[in-house]
Amino acid sequence: VSLDLSDPEFLVQASESLPLDYYAVKNDQGDFVTIYEKPVYADLEFILFFVFNGRRWMYTTSTALGIGPADANEFAIATIIEEANLHFFYDNITSLIMSDPSDIGSPSDSTTPIDLSLYRTSDQTWGFQRPLMDEIILSHLICKTCDATQYPCLYGNPCVNGSCNCLNGASGFNCQLIPVDDGKCDVGFNSVDFSYDRGDCCRGTCISTTEFFCGYEGRVEVGFPNCEDGAYSCEFPNQTCWARSAANYELPKPRGVLAAAAATIQLSSNGRVMVVGYPDLDRVQVLDQFDLTWTSRSDHHIGGTPLGSQFGSSLAISTVGGSILDFVYSPVGVHVAIGATSNETDFIRIFQWNVDQFEPIGSDILLARAFSKTGVASYFDFFEGSRFLAAQVDEDLIDVFDLDINEV
């Protein structure tokens, strides 16, 4: 038998001190050594044991069973256990872990501890130790070999010559470890029974991991074509519908004001970068979407204009290329154009991302009249990536600026 690794906390403990595999002990006649007619299981070093105490399976040590270092071989251990005639209540044998009851003759009676729930035990050192029922261990003991009837492979995987052939992304001796909640959509587990791959198949529920990034295969963005969760997908097949792709972003409130600051918003073409202007606060914030959250890019807002300049009243953002993987740890370059007014004249100031902050590039683009004063919004936008900016400089005139040479 083997301890599966379903319990992450237990996995850490197991990897440091507890062996994962245990084997039924045999005597020199080749017969299984038993206590209360049930096999004794030991690790390869014969230090830790699973034994039946008459009611529960318990995880104990060679020292507790009266086995010394000189007896650490299978036949010597078999002789000691068979001759000891152990009675667990009177012999005060301590246990590290206990199972659910497996009373002889009851429906849970079993010759092995396989699939029984396991619990940590109390510190009691006399009589029967009690399992701590509120400290369940999510890991179980499983059979290392499979067959078609008593120990089949899980989730429809075939058993081949006593070993499970896990074909659908599952792993483990019985294919008991399923690939859910890892940032990769596994269509075999994309059903309500598995909480739709535990959220991996929909943009609104997927959370990336160190192994997989949501919506990506390698460095190629594939999106979420297999989203089946009704809360995040269209009602009918082949239907086009709107769905929320990230959590709401709460706008900040100016100091001493109950209402949130008024905001203008621009979103990049790939939906991953959002520019939020707060003209009443004369500042602009840039945020990156990672999975379900919006994270502010850099600790500094874009600003630098005098109070009352309406900095951020109009915005534009260049096309954001590359993969989300390109700016998980170092955001990809992006240009932001921001409208403001000064001395009755509107202007456009352009910033570019440089390592860890936004820096202005070129001189300001001055507009022929203060559109903001007349109530007419100024228009400007990037095209051809971020090289060119088209700006309405007057009511009847649009200029195109080549940002590489900073000229019209």
Side-chain angles (χ1 to χ4, degrees), residues 10 27 52 65 75 92 129 157 161-162 174-176 218-219 276 287 306 315 339 346 348-349 392 402:
F10 189 72
N27 59 25
F52 187 65
L65 292 174
F75 296 157
N92 297 333
Q129 279 184 294
N157 289 293
N161 298 325
N174 301 141
C175 306
Q176 78 279 4
R219 300 188 67 85
V276 185
L287 303 109
L315 302 168
D346 282 8
I348 301 169
R349 184 169 296 170
Q392 182 182 4
D402 186 335

Side-chain angles (χ1 to χ4, degrees), residues 199 202-207 214 221 223-224 227 231-233 241-249 267-274 288-294:
C202 293
R203 184 186 298 275
T205 53
C206 186
I207 298 177
C214 295
E221 185 170 11
F224 298 86
C227 180
Y232 298 92
S233 61
C241 60
W242 289 99
R244 191 171 70 179
S245 65
N248 293 336
Y249 179 72
L267 197 65
S268 66
S269 56
N270 68 356
R272 295 290 189 178
V273 184
M274 179 169 62
D288 292 304
Q289 181 192 347
F290 184 67
D291 290 343
L292 311 182
T293 60
W294 290 102

Side-chain angles (χ1 to χ4, degrees), residues 223-263:
F224 298 86
N226 298 306
C227 180
E228 301 289 342
D229 188 340
Y232 298 92
S233 61
C234 298
E235 184 177 0
F236 303 104
N238 302 318
Q239 179 188 18
T240 300
C241 60
W242 289 99
R244 191 171 70 179
S245 65
N248 293 336
Y249 179 72
E250 185 174 348
L251 297 175
K253 296 178 181 178
R255 183 176 298 176
V257 179
L258 295 179

Side-chain angles (χ1 to χ4, degrees), residues 137-213:
I137 296 169
L138 300 181
S139 294
H140 293 78
L141 284 163
I142 58 175
C143 186
K144 291 186 64 173
T145 58
C146 61
D147 59 46
T149 55
Q150 191 172 8
Y151 299 114
C153 304
L154 300 180
Y155 309 115
N157 289 293
C159 178
V160 180
N161 298 325
S163 298
C164 289
N165 187 12
C166 305
L167 301 175
N168 57 359
S171 59
F173 291 117
N174 301 141
C175 306
Q176 78 279 4
L177 302 176
I178 57 177
V180 298
D181 200 21
D182 60 359
K184 177 179 178 292
C185 180
D186 297 279
V187 293
F189 298 95
N190 186 23
S191 66
V192 66
D193 293 337
F194 300 99
S195 300
Y196 300 100
D197 203 25
R198 206 169 293 169
D200 286 340
C201 296
C202 293
R203 184 186 298 275
T205 53
C206 186
I207 298 177
S208 298
T209 64
T210 54
E211 187 176 5
F212 299 108
F213 284 88

Side-chain angles (χ1 to χ4, degrees), residues 56 98 120-124 126 128-133:
R56 302 176 188 268
M98 280 188 176
R120 290 176 174 83
T121 57
S122 65
D123 294 330
Q124 183 177 337
W126 55 271
F128 275 133
Q129 279 184 294
R130 291 182 174 85
L132 299 173
M133 304 308 291

Side-chain angles (χ1 to χ4, degrees), residues 79-395:
T79 301
I80 291 171
I81 292 176
E82 288 177 331
E83 293 179 352
N85 193 23
L86 295 170
H87 296 282
F88 283 78
F89 184 83
Y90 301 104
D91 291 331
N92 297 333
I93 295 176
T94 57
S95 175
L96 307 174
I97 297 170
M98 280 188 176
S99 74
D100 268 338
S102 183
D103 296 314
I104 297 173
S106 71
S108 60
D109 185 7
S110 172
T111 56
T112 73
I114 289 173
D115 291 335
L116 292 173
S117 294
L118 302 176
Y119 305 87
R120 290 176 174 83
T121 57
S122 65
D123 294 330
Q124 183 177 337
T125 57
W126 55 271
F128 275 133
Q129 279 184 294
R130 291 182 174 85
L132 299 173
M133 304 308 291
D134 60 343
E135 294 196 23
I136 189 170
I137 296 169
L138 300 181
S139 294
H140 293 78
L141 284 163
I142 58 175
C143 186
K144 291 186 64 173
T145 58
C146 61
D147 59 46
T149 55
Q150 191 172 8
Y151 299 114
C153 304
L154 300 180
Y155 309 115
N157 289 293
C159 178
V160 180
N161 298 325
S163 298
C164 289
N165 187 12
C166 305
L167 301 175
N168 57 359
S171 59
F173 291 117
N174 301 141
C175 306
Q176 78 279 4
L177 302 176
I178 57 177
V180 298
D181 200 21
D182 60 359
K184 177 179 178 292
C185 180
D186 297 279
V187 293
F189 298 95
N190 186 23
S191 66
V192 66
D193 293 337
F194 300 99
S195 300
Y196 300 100
D197 203 25
R198 206 169 293 169
D200 286 340
C201 296
C202 293
R203 184 186 298 275
T205 53
C206 186
I207 298 177
S208 298
T209 64
T210 54
E211 187 176 5
F212 299 108
F213 284 88
C214 295
Y216 278 76
E217 290 183 1
R219 300 188 67 85
V220 179
E221 185 170 11
V222 296
F224 298 86
N226 298 306
C227 180
E228 301 289 342
D229 188 340
Y232 298 92
S233 61
C234 298
E235 184 177 0
F236 303 104
N238 302 318
Q239 179 188 18
T240 300
C241 60
W242 289 99
R244 191 171 70 179
S245 65
N248 293 336
Y249 179 72
E250 185 174 348
L251 297 175
K253 296 178 181 178
R255 183 176 298 176
V257 179
L258 295 179
T264 55
I265 298 173
Q266 283 287 330
L267 197 65
S268 66
S269 56
N270 68 356
R272 295 290 189 178
V273 184
M274 179 169 62
V275 184
V276 185
Y278 306 102
D280 292 341
L281 303 177
D282 299 305
R283 73 183 191 191
V284 172
Q285 186 178 21
V286 180
L287 303 109
D288 292 304
Q289 181 192 347
F290 184 67
D291 290 343
L292 311 182
T293 60
W294 290 102
T295 303
S296 181
R297 182 185 290 204
S298 104
D299 296 329
H300 305 286
H301 298 307
I302 306 175
T305 57
L307 293 176
S309 63
Q310 294 290 297
F311 186 74
S313 56
S314 300
L315 302 168
I317 181 172
S318 65
T319 300
V320 177
S323 157
I324 183 68
L325 307 185
D326 293 327
F327 61 93
V328 170
Y329 302 107
S330 179
V332 296
V334 63
H335 288 71
V336 177
I338 302 172
T341 186
S342 177
N343 298 323
E344 302 296 321
T345 300
D346 282 8
F347 64 90
I348 301 169
R349 184 169 296 170
I350 302 172
F351 296 81
Q352 69 177 355
W353 178 253
N354 185 10
V355 183
D356 60 355
Q357 63 181 346
F358 281 96
E359 297 178 345
I361 58 171
S363 57
D364 293 343
I365 298 173
L366 301 180
L367 306 185
R369 58 183 300 179
F371 289 104
S372 59
K373 298 298 182 182
T374 62
V376 179
S378 57
Y379 165 82
F380 52 90
D381 204 359
F382 292 97
F383 64 98
E384 291 294 323
S386 60
R387 177 175 179 179
F388 297 104
L389 180 83
Q392 182 182 4
V393 297
D394 206 338
E395 291 182 346

